[in-house]
Amino acid sequence: MIARQLQFDAVKYGILHPNQLGGVAQWSTKDAGIFLTHLVQAGWAKGLKTSIIAFDIAQFFLSLNYSMLTLILRHFGFPDCVVDFFSNYLVGRSTQYSWNSFLSDVCDADVGVEQGSALSPILSVLYIAPLIRIFEHRAQALNLSTSILLFVDDSLLIS
């Protein structure tokens, strides 16, 4: 429920870049293939050749800086209650189990943004969204005919 609301707001307010295809409902690897095919064929029509570098960001989910994530959420204008929720949700958690008269020891239960979590796709997409905007801005400033296509932690650099 939380992931869907974050995604809805991120799309509604234009936070996500159109080239972020992974981790977003209604966008898929098929869309990435169609986009890539379009770029290659458009280049051919202009007599150009297309070069592609594919890369995977290793340990992406486990490497997210949670302080930075909360700053990014705040920067994008998410309400304080949402930013505070994730500040508390991501780190410093513990749990204790009780069953009838049994009470376990306190255990660390940092949730983080682990791959496979319902929240990991949208939080990861939000985390990397500013980087795409910076990349796009610098490519335009240098008059480079370069795009980046992201599917969460798997990406293509297209020139």
Side-chain angles (χ1 to χ4, degrees), residues 14-84:
I15 294 170
L16 304 181
H17 191 280
N19 292 9
Q20 287 182 279
L21 300 175
V24 181
Q26 308 302 318
W27 294 347
S28 68
T29 53
K30 184 176 181 179
D31 296 311
I34 291 168
F35 178 75
L36 181 58
T37 302
H38 168 75
L39 286 179
V40 171
Q41 290 179 341
W44 287 347
K46 296 177 183 176
L48 301 173
K49 295 181 181 175
T50 302
S51 296
I52 300 170
I53 297 173
F55 61 95
D56 174 62
I57 304 171
Q59 299 295 316
F60 180 73
F61 294 97
L62 299 175
S63 308
L64 296 184
N65 179 310
Y66 304 133
S67 298
M68 180 61 73
L69 180 58
T70 56
L71 288 173
I72 289 168
L73 292 172
R74 191 174 309 285
H75 169 77
F76 283 136
F78 283 94
D80 288 340
C81 62
V82 172
V83 175
D84 291 345

